[in-house]
Amino acid sequence: MAAPPPPPPALPDDVVVEEILLRLPPDDPGCLFRASLVCKAWRNAVSHPRFRRRYIGLHRHRAPPVLGFLHDWEDGGIPDFFPTTASPFSLAAPDRRFWRPVDCRHGRALFLSDRRQETQELLLWEPITGARRGIPVPAAFRCQWPAAAVFCTADWCDHRDCAGGPFGVVFLFAGEQDRHVVTSACLYSSETGTWGKLNSRQDEFTMEFQNHSSVLVGRSLLYFLSDGGTILEYNLDSGVLAVLDRPPDDYGRGRQRFNLMLAEDGGLGVAEAIDFQLILWKREASDGTDARWVLSRIVDMDSFFDPVTLAPVLGFAEGANAIFVKIIYSLFMVELQSEQAKIVCSSPGFCNLIPVVGFYTPHSRLQVPGGEHHSPAPWLKQLGRGGQQGVWEEKSLEWAQVLFDEGCMAINEKDLAYTADCFRHVLEIRVRHYGGLAPECANTFYHYGGALLCKAREAANRSGTNLRGKGQTDGNMTGDGDDSDLDLAWKMLNTARVIVAKSPEKTMEKRTETNQSVTTSKL
C-alpha cells in the first residue's frame, strides 16, 4: 500500500497573517487600522509598501471607497475629517481653525490658510501618508473666496495609489482690476515649484467660490462652480478660461440647489435636487459652441424614504461616483451606480463637502498635526463642554481609546514626541465630550503631562541644559502662559491633580519613571 503523500509545508505565520489582513474590507478601514495596533509585527506588515500594492491590486476591479469628507463648518463638536465608514476611523486632517479645505483628488487634499492671516498660503496634505507641503499663493491673488484644484500629473497613472508623485494645482480667483471685474487662473507645477502664466478674462460681476469644489474631466479640463451658479472651464493644456452655460431651468432649479459631477460617460455633469428627486444632467461632447446639456436620468429618493424635500447637493466623490445630499436634518450619501443611499450623520449645518476617496492602509506611524498652525492655541481653553451628539460622539470616544492605546505603545518604543501627540488628541476629544475638569479626563491629563515632561527631559539631556524651568519655580506647577513642552506639562499635571483632589475616590494609571511600567495609584 502506497504511503500517503507528505503534507504541504506549513506557511510561515507572517505570511498567513498577511494573507488574512489582505482580505479585510476596504470600505471599513477601521478594521485594518485596529489590526495594525495588535503588535509591532502586524503594524510592520500592513504598513509595508508591498502590502499596499497587493491590497490595491486585490481590489483593482472595484471603485475606491469614500473614507469620509472634509468641511469648513465652524462647529467645534464636529471633527475636521468626518468619517463615512461603518466603524470608527479617522485621519489627522489639518485644523480647520487655521486651514479651509478647498479640494481633494488623487490621494491629495488642498487647504487654504485662514484669510485673516497677513500672508495666505496653500497646504497640500496626503491623507494616507500624512505628508504635508506648503505652497505660496500667486502674487496677484486678492480676494476672499477663491477656488483651487489639485491633481496628479504622473503619466499613465491610474490614480489609485499616486501619492508622493508629481502634482499640479490650479488657483482661480476674481476681483477688481483697473475698474474692471477680472477672473484669473494659473497653474502650479510641483516639478518646477513655480506658478505659470496668469490667464484672465473680464466678467460682469465678481465671483466667489465658497460652497463648491472642482471636477476634473479627463486629463485636461477642470470645472469650477461659483456661489452664484456660474460654471467655469479651465483648460490645462492651453490655459484658456471660459464660462459655460448652465442646464435649462425645466425643473425650476434654484442656483444653490445643484453641484458639478462626472457624468456616466466621464464627461461633465450636474446633479440638482428638486423636491424629492435627483435630476442628473450631462453635457454632450461636441466641437466648439454646439455643446448642450441633456437630461441623463432622474433618481427618485422616495424609494428610500417617505417623500421629502431635498436640500442642495453638497458634494461629489470623484472615483466613487457618489454624491452627498441633505434631507431634512440628515446628511445622506447616494451611490449613483446602485442608487443606494445611507445616512452619514444627523447634522443639518454642513455646506461644501469635500470627499476623501481612496484605499486606506496604515502608515508606519500615525500622522498627527504639528507645527504652529496646527497645535491648539492657546492651550485647551478654547475646548468647551458639549459638541455634536449621537453617532459621531460615540465614534469619537472610541477613536480616543484607539489613540490612547497607540500612545501607550509608542511609550514602549520611546517615541515620546508621537506619544505626546496621541495623548493630546485624546485629551481634545474627551474634554469636548466630558468637560475640562471631568473625572473621566484626569487619566488623560496625567498621561499627556507625563509624556511632555519626559519629552522635555530628553531634549534637556541632549542639549545639556537644566530641566528646572519657570513652570517649576518655587515648587509651583502652574507655569506662566508659555506653551513650551515643560510649561505645558506642568499645566497638564496640575490639572490632573486638581481633578483627583476634587474626586479622591477616582484612581488613575501612573507610569513610573524607573521601569516604564503602568501601575494604579492615587495622585
Side-chain angles (χ1 to χ4, degrees), residues 301-369:
M301 297 301 293
D302 59 352
S303 60
F304 312 111
F305 324 99
D306 294 332
V308 293
T309 299
L310 303 183
V313 177
L314 301 181
F316 173 71
E318 285 187 35
N321 198 29
I323 64 172
F324 289 90
V325 63
K326 188 171 64 176
I327 303 176
I328 308 180
Y329 296 111
S330 298
L331 180 67
F332 285 81
M333 185 173 71
V334 182
E335 296 179 356
L336 296 178
Q337 184 173 358
S338 63
E339 295 190 359
Q340 296 297 310
K342 71 173 184 178
I343 187 170
V344 174
C345 69
S346 299
S347 175
F350 293 110
C351 51
N352 182 30
L353 303 183
I354 301 176
V356 178
V357 178
F359 291 99
Y360 170 82
T361 55
H363 196 241
S364 58
R365 175 62 75 200
L366 289 177
Q367 301 294 320
V368 292

Side-chain angles (χ1 to χ4, degrees), residues 149-342:
V150 61
F151 52 93
C152 173
T153 58
D155 293 334
W156 310 110
C157 181
D158 61 2
H159 307 312
R160 300 171 77 85
D161 188 25
C162 54
F167 65 89
V169 173
V170 169
F171 197 72
L172 176 70
F173 57 96
E176 292 189 5
Q177 180 178 332
D178 298 330
R179 298 184 179 180
H180 296 286
V181 175
V182 176
T183 304
S184 303
C186 54
L187 174 63
Y188 175 88
S189 170
S190 66
E191 297 177 279
T192 63
T194 59
W195 291 96
K197 177 184 176 182
L198 190 69
N199 296 280
S200 304
R201 55 169 288 126
Q202 288 191 13
D203 290 300
E204 296 180 2
F205 51 87
T206 299
M207 288 176 279
E208 295 183 343
F209 303 89
Q210 179 183 7
N211 297 320
H212 307 281
S213 51
S214 63
V215 166
L216 176 64
V217 174
R219 303 183 71 93
S220 60
L221 295 176
L222 269 168
Y223 293 92
F224 301 88
L225 180 64
S226 75
D227 294 349
T230 301
I231 301 175
L232 293 98
E233 176 189 82
Y234 181 80
N235 191 308
L236 296 173
D237 294 332
S238 65
V240 173
L241 184 63
V243 173
L244 305 183
D245 60 316
R246 294 182 294 185
D249 296 329
D250 297 345
Y251 291 83
R253 181 191 66 252
R255 66 182 184 180
Q256 299 291 343
R257 301 186 65 85
F258 70 98
N259 213 326
L260 299 179
M261 58 171 286
L262 290 179
E264 295 177 351
D265 60 0
L268 179 63
V270 161
E272 59 177 327
I274 302 295
D275 296 330
F276 48 88
Q277 293 180 322
L278 286 175
I279 314 298
L280 305 183
W281 298 87
K282 67 177 181 179
R283 190 170 178 84
E284 283 191 337
S286 63
D287 297 328
T289 59
D290 295 330
R292 61 191 183 95
W293 292 98
V294 297
L295 182 64
S296 176
R297 62 184 165 123
I298 298 177
V299 180
D300 290 318
M301 297 301 293
D302 59 352
S303 60
F304 312 111
F305 324 99
D306 294 332
V308 293
T309 299
L310 303 183
V313 177
L314 301 181
F316 173 71
E318 285 187 35
N321 198 29
I323 64 172
F324 289 90
V325 63
K326 188 171 64 176
I327 303 176
I328 308 180
Y329 296 111
S330 298
L331 180 67
F332 285 81
M333 185 173 71
V334 182
E335 296 179 356
L336 296 178
Q337 184 173 358
S338 63
E339 295 190 359
Q340 296 297 310
K342 71 173 184 178

Side-chain angles (χ1 to χ4, degrees), residues 30-45:
C31 296
L32 198 57
F33 175 80
R34 288 191 293 273
S36 71
L37 301 179
V38 171
C39 63
K40 188 173 183 179
W42 286 29
R43 180 192 303 169
N44 292 339

Side-chain angles (χ1 to χ4, degrees), residues 413-429:
E413 299 176 5
K414 302 187 185 306
D415 190 345
L416 298 177
Y418 179 66
T419 298
D421 280 333
C422 285
F423 289 145
R424 174 171 66 85
H425 280 265
V426 174
L427 188 60
E428 289 181 357
I429 294 172

